[in-house]
Amino acid sequence: MKQIKPIVVLVSVLFVLILLIPSMLVIPFSGKEAVKLAEERQSNPEPPQIASGPTVEVAVHRVSAQKIENVPLEDYVVGVLAKEMPAKFELEALKAQALAARTYVVRHMLSEEKIGVPDGADVSDTTNHQVYKSIEELKAEWKGDYDWKIKKITQAVKETQGQILTYDGAPIDAQFFSTSNGYTENSQDYYKNEYPYLKSVESPWDVNTEKFHDQVQISVADFEQKLGIKLGSGNDVGKVTARTQSNRVATVEIGGKSFTGREVRETLGLRSTDFSWERKGNNIVIKTKGYGHGVGMSQYGADGMAKDGKSYKEIVSHYYQGVEISSTENFLNKLTVKK
């Protein structure tokens, strides 16, 4: 064996030292830096990231700011779900709502007719379409509850990602509301249009939930002024002349004039079209059952179904009759080409 020259040994030692010294300097600090970074993330966490398919953004008209904001589809669904259903609800109910929210906006984006929004917008951020808030707005609103709420909301969106509800191959009009009177409403009994998937179904899970009963008191003078009628001096208020399949008021006669239940509800600001009333002196006491128009999915009903162990697929199949859960891919590709 040949003897190794001292110069070779010296060069080798120097080379090893050059490699080791920077690492030795970093090691004492790396643990501290890792802890520091972890603490920073914990104190100001970012929402879980959702992988995206085709790049599609929703043009949201931010009404208060009077601007149009382009929001990635799945981020938009997070912002809608956060405002349209309480985060305390069961995960499967939240997933059903996420599916409805995504379906609703995809249908609107595919439509050539944009109602109630300025040019360039798909939807507004109000109840005229779906209520939407950004992550920054949710952080300010939820404060100390932000972490658990955004985690649960994002999980519901993530576990339904790429899914919408269709009927005959097209996205449905995924109507939803807060609380039923024990039944949902046929679409044609509240709106003009009849949809085969928006049929009246039983919803017993809503009964006696926190928003099931409500009572308001209106002065006779306000009642007459708002409806444009005169009641006279008797105790009679009005006579229900027809009811819908779900036992809501279809038509009613008041002061010699005929109204639909929807007209009365919207004019007087009632929670539901399932109402009854009684005149007490100079006031009229009105009692309602349920909260909302009653068409489509009941949110409290969905939560009740989830508590009974039903999956989000079973929930949407109950409230939207005859629908299928389909992939968004073809629809999003159409939107990408369209834009």
Side-chain angles (χ1 to χ4, degrees):
M1 179 182 291
K2 293 181 179 179
Q3 188 175 7
I4 300 173
K5 295 180 179 179
I7 188 65
V8 175
V9 175
L10 181 60
V11 170
S12 299
V13 171
L14 287 172
F15 180 73
V16 171
L17 286 174
I18 289 168
L19 291 176
L20 287 178
I21 287 172
S23 300
M24 292 172 69
L25 290 172
V26 170
I27 287 171
F29 299 99
S30 60
K32 293 178 182 178
E33 289 300 320
V35 171
K36 184 179 178 182
L37 286 171
E39 288 174 349
E40 287 176 354
R41 290 193 189 102
Q42 190 172 3
S43 63
N44 190 25
E46 290 302 318
Q49 295 299 305
I50 299 176
S52 58
T55 303
V56 171
E57 293 182 327
V58 183
V60 186
H61 180 218
R62 307 307 306 273
V63 176
S64 294
Q66 285 299 300
K67 67 176 183 178
I68 295 175
E69 186 176 331
N70 293 313
V71 184
L73 175 61
E74 296 301 324
D75 293 344
Y76 170 79
V77 178
V78 168
V80 168
L81 181 57
K83 292 303 298 176
E84 290 286 8
M85 180 175 273
K88 67 180 181 180
F89 275 20
E90 296 291 316
L91 181 62
E92 293 302 307
L94 289 165
K95 287 159 71 172
Q97 182 68 54
L99 196 52
R102 188 182 296 105
T103 303
Y104 183 95
V105 75
V106 168
R107 178 184 170 94
H108 270 265
M109 293 172 75
L110 287 168
S111 174
E112 296 295 333
E113 192 175 11
K114 310 293 185 185
I115 300 174
V117 292
D119 290 342
D122 295 310
V123 291
S124 71
D125 61 358
T126 71
T127 54
N128 289 337
H129 296 95
Q130 298 185 114
V131 180
Y132 164 83
K133 294 291 183 185
S134 67
I135 290 298
E136 291 73 23
E137 290 168 320
L138 292 173
K139 283 180 180 178
E141 181 179 326
W142 285 343
K143 297 181 174 62
D145 290 325
Y146 172 80
D147 289 1
W148 74 263
K149 284 186 176 183
I150 200 63
K151 181 179 179 182
K152 191 174 179 184
I153 293 292
T154 305
Q155 182 182 354
V157 174
K158 198 170 186 177
E159 292 184 11
T160 61
Q161 184 179 350
Q163 299 175 5
I164 59 171
L165 297 164
T166 60
Y167 187 91
D168 281 349
I172 70 167
D173 187 359
Q175 294 284 322
F176 56 87
F177 63 99
S178 171
T179 311
S180 81
N181 68 340
Y183 295 86
T184 65
E185 185 82 296
N186 290 318
S187 58
Q188 68 272 20
D189 289 335
Y190 195 81
Y191 299 110
K192 292 180 181 179
N193 298 329
E194 179 178 0
Y195 295 103
Y197 48 82
L198 295 177
K199 294 294 186 185
S200 179
V201 296
E202 288 188 63
S203 189
W205 307 276
D206 307 60
V207 178
N208 297 323
T209 55
E210 61 186 88
K211 295 186 178 179
F212 184 73
H213 290 287
D214 189 48
Q215 178 176 300
V216 295
Q217 184 171 285
I218 303 174
S219 71
V220 170
D222 282 349
F223 187 87
E224 291 176 328
Q225 187 272 324
K226 287 177 178 178
L227 292 173
I229 52 93
K230 285 292 181 182
L231 290 178
S233 57
N235 289 326
D236 289 339
V237 179
K239 180 182 178 183
V240 175
T241 52
R243 289 189 177 273
T244 66
Q245 183 180 338
S246 66
N247 203 40
R248 292 171 171 83
V249 175
T251 56
V252 61
E253 188 176 295
I254 313 167
K257 291 177 67 173
S258 182
F259 300 88
T260 65
R262 178 180 178 177
E263 287 172 334
V264 173
R265 179 200 171 214
E266 293 180 351
T267 302
L268 300 181
L270 306 179
R271 284 189 172 187
S272 168
T273 52
D274 185 348
F275 54 80
S276 60
W277 44 37
E278 181 184 2
R279 183 167 179 170
K280 292 186 176 181
N282 293 324
N283 294 302
I284 295 171
V285 177
I286 306 174
K287 296 179 179 179
T288 56
K289 291 180 182 178
Y291 194 170
H293 50 63
V295 180
M297 184 178 72
S298 163
Q299 294 174 316
Y300 273 82
D303 191 47
M305 288 186 72
K307 283 183 169 72
D308 282 351
K310 303 297 184 184
S311 70
Y312 78 96
K313 293 181 180 180
E314 291 173 302
I315 293 169
V316 295
S317 295
H318 175 72
Y319 286 109
Y320 304 111
Q321 295 285 290
V323 300
E324 295 182 352
I325 297 177
S326 304
S327 170
T328 58
E329 186 175 358
N330 289 336
F331 301 105
L332 297 189
N333 285 335
K334 287 180 184 177
L335 286 171
T336 304
V337 171
K338 189 175 174 184
K339 290 184 182 261

